[in-house]
Amino acid sequence: MSVIYLLISISIFVAVAFFIAFIVAVRSGQYDDDYTPSVRMLFDDEIKPQKEIQTEEKQN
């Protein structure tokens, strides 16, 4: 029975340690996305429906 208490206490300690490490990583900017904003401008163009493309071709 004492082994169960030991395992539970160790698992809670490990979980708290990982949680603290996660909080520190988030606050230090580890998960900030620096790549996507620089590439986002490449994908901002809207795709026109096929009908609009055909009507524009007929007008020209």
Side-chain angles (χ1 to χ4, degrees):
M1 195 69 167
S2 64
V3 173
I4 292 175
Y5 295 132
L6 178 68
L7 290 175
I8 290 174
S9 61
I10 290 173
S11 65
I12 290 173
F13 175 75
V14 169
V16 169
F18 276 112
F19 182 70
I20 291 171
F22 173 73
I23 296 297
V24 169
V26 168
R27 288 190 179 192
S28 69
Q30 181 73 28
Y31 293 107
D32 288 347
D33 187 13
D34 295 331
Y35 178 70
T36 301
S38 64
V39 181
R40 188 176 295 148
M41 66 179 208
L42 300 174
F43 300 111
D44 279 346
D45 296 338
E46 294 181 12
I47 299 174
K48 293 183 178 180
Q50 192 66 21
K51 289 181 182 179
E52 289 183 20
I53 295 172
Q54 290 174 354
T55 55
E56 286 178 2
E57 288 175 356
K58 288 180 183 178
Q59 292 175 356
N60 293 332

